Amino acid sequence: VLMEAADIPTPGANEVLIKVKRSLISRGSELFKRYVMPEALPPWRMGYSDAGEVVESKVKGVGPGDRSNVSGPHAQYVVGAHGSIPNGMDYETATFIGLSTSATMWMRTTPIEPGDDVIILGQGIVGNLYMQAVRERKPGRVITVDATELRCEISRQCGADVVVNVAETDSVEAVMELTKGRGADVVVECVGGNAGVRSFEQAQQMMKDDGVLHLISKFQG
């Protein structure tokens, strides 16, 4: 970890300046953008969800001392569009507001019928949040797939009906067995990156003939 000195930014129109209390790290996105992409993002661009206390505000009705969730990099002071933090929510939980909102939006745009088997490939932050949110659609079974045991265990704790660890089991065979050879009604791809290429191929193999494939994560060829 390298700490760099920087000027405190100034909020623009409809922005707030917050003193950051917690900043969300996305292992997949940040490792990929910093160490895998041909041109690494500079350190000051890393991070995208902060929670903290308003120091200065250009937003009507928001003032110093208010709590705010802002999309911004890992830094002590960050400017951005104000997002309210519900009463009683701690700063660490508040860093998930942005991604939780996105996961809910993605879930609501997926064509799902009540009772459908929904397969979610990848149990990083996005995949896990999607898995929790999709209960709103009243699916049949929610089946998650990942290659890391820690993520698989967290997925179980967060309510997945079935968890497939691809480090131990072929995911396509497992899904076909679970669906009695029919294939999944809905497959949601949340792996992304280089591994997402193979995951995308497997997604197509585990779908039923008229199934739905929803790509959320970006993958690199």
Side-chain angles (χ1 to χ4, degrees), residues 13-26:
N14 298 314
E15 288 186 332
V16 293
L17 168 68
I18 69 167
K19 185 173 184 180
V20 176
K21 302 294 185 179
R22 292 289 187 274
S23 186
L24 181 66
I25 296 174
S26 170

Side-chain angles (χ1 to χ4, degrees), residues 24-212:
L24 181 66
I25 296 174
S26 170
R27 176 185 178 276
S29 297
E30 301 204 29
L31 287 179
F32 185 79
K33 291 179 179 178
R34 183 67 184 154
Y35 300 107
V36 178
M37 291 180 66
E39 295 184 10
L41 287 179
W44 63 268
R45 290 277 302 278
M46 304 308 293
Y48 50 76
S49 185
D50 301 309
E53 186 175 293
V54 174
V55 176
E56 184 180 350
S57 173
K58 296 294 179 66
V59 179
K60 185 177 181 180
V62 178
D66 289 347
R67 303 192 313 148
S68 183
N69 169 252
V70 170
S71 177
H74 305 306
Q76 187 177 11
Y77 291 92
V78 168
V79 296
H82 168 71
S84 297
I85 298 177
N87 292 332
M89 179 179 288
D90 59 76
Y91 285 120
E92 186 168 327
T93 302
T95 62
F96 288 86
I97 290 175
L99 281 180
S100 297
T101 301
S102 296
T104 301
M105 176 189 68
W106 292 323
M107 170 274 296
R108 289 176 177 172
T109 60
T110 307
I112 300 173
E113 295 296 330
D116 279 350
D117 282 333
V118 178
I119 316 295
I120 303 164
L121 305 181
Q123 282 297 282
I125 295 177
V126 170
N128 185 282
L129 290 173
Y130 183 102
M131 178 270 294
Q132 296 183 58
V134 80
R135 293 294 182 186
E136 179 185 285
R137 303 293 299 278
K138 303 187 185 307
R141 289 176 296 180
V142 177
I143 302 168
T144 61
V145 178
D146 203 279
T148 305
E149 178 53 35
L150 176 60
R151 290 182 175 181
C152 289
E153 178 57 32
I154 293 174
S155 186
R156 295 185 190 98
Q157 294 175 8
C158 290
D161 295 313
V162 181
V163 180
V164 177
N165 186 337
V166 292
E168 302 172 352
T169 306
D170 182 280
S171 60
V172 176
E173 292 181 2
V175 170
M176 296 307 288
E177 182 177 349
L178 287 165
T179 59
K180 296 181 170 50
R182 182 175 61 91
D185 300 298
V186 180
V187 180
V188 184
E189 172 19 54
C190 297
V191 176
N194 292 332
V197 177
R198 177 61 179 148
S199 180
F200 176 55
E201 295 173 353
Q202 294 171 334
Q204 298 173 78
Q205 296 168 16
M206 62 179 64
M207 285 171 49
K208 68 177 186 179
D209 291 342
D210 59 346
V212 171

